[in-house]
Amino acid sequence: MDLALDGLHPLPVPIPYPMKYVNLVLIEGDGLVLVDTALDLPDARHAIERGLAERGARPGDLDAVVLTHHHPDHYGLAGWFESQGVPVYMLDVAIERDHGWWSRFEPWLEQSTAHFREHGMPEAFIADLREVMEATHRRIRPPQNPRPLTDGEDVQLAGQRFTVHWTPGHADGHLVLLRDDGTLIAGDAILDRITPNVGKWVGSRPDPLGDFLRSLEKIRGLEPRQALVGHYGPVLEDVDARAREIERHHKDRLRFLADRLARGPRTAWELSLELFPQEGLSTAQRRFAWAETLAHLVHLQHLGRVRALPETPVRFELVG
Ligand SMILES: [Zn+2]
């Protein structure tokens, strides 16, 4: 393992999800900056407080918090830091789009419910899912006044120089931070062991999987010498090889779905049960499977290989 992280400290924090931990990153130098925040749960707060205490600091001592993206396990405690006087930064795109998931939760929940129905989720499942989403919402402290970062911007974080790069796909407003020495703070833009979920959610950009594949290309083009990743890892050494592996995985899934559609039109829900046949997936995992299937179908639609039939629930049909 390359330990030349000089002034970057991965901080694993427990989360109640299958990955078990989210890796925050403490940037230490001329000051102290935290990247990502975990969920608002006592275990997570204690882990963060312990990690900061090892560096002689308390949460309110941070100079800034930077969020790679708005998912609960990265964003959940942002408002807690902000309430202690720490400015919270997100990509401008994330503030405009994704932040509304949590800052305007009720309308987002209703729009999401309509989107679930439109793409074939059964009513009983939707009822369970709404409870899961409401429970997650209770573990989130949205920042009131997130400050914007811009794609391509150079920033000094704790006296270290980074460039901000927009990497949509896993989330519309996902950012990564590239340090001058080629170390990438990657969030969930690329992961080891699991592939980042790519979903078509209500209000998502038109083709999240297309975005995601382009973001993998972009990351390869940055030629990072190592990446700190949001789950597992925490250090991913061969970023280029992993990016190509993930790309192949999605191409395989696109082929699988096209093969299934050759048998006749199907909804995203029906196809998600074939693409992810595992039994015993939790409600949240089943929802990720559905959203990921839909993202693949929408990508095929953008490639002109599939069309959506004008009906509810929407069935997708192979073109030609
Ligand atoms: Zn995420």
Side-chain angles (χ1 to χ4, degrees), residues 19 68-74 170-171 174 187-188 191 197 231:
M19 298 87 84
T68 59
H69 63 298
H70 71 295
H71 290 165
D73 47 338
H74 297 257
H170 176 68
H174 196 292
D188 292 352
L191 295 172
N197 175 251
H231 305 280

Side-chain angles (χ1 to χ4, degrees), residues 146-163:
R147 303 172 190 209
L149 296 170
T150 309
D151 184 28
E153 182 180 353
D154 288 327
V155 287
Q156 294 281 335
L157 301 173
Q160 301 185 32
R161 214 177 92 114
F162 292 83
T163 309

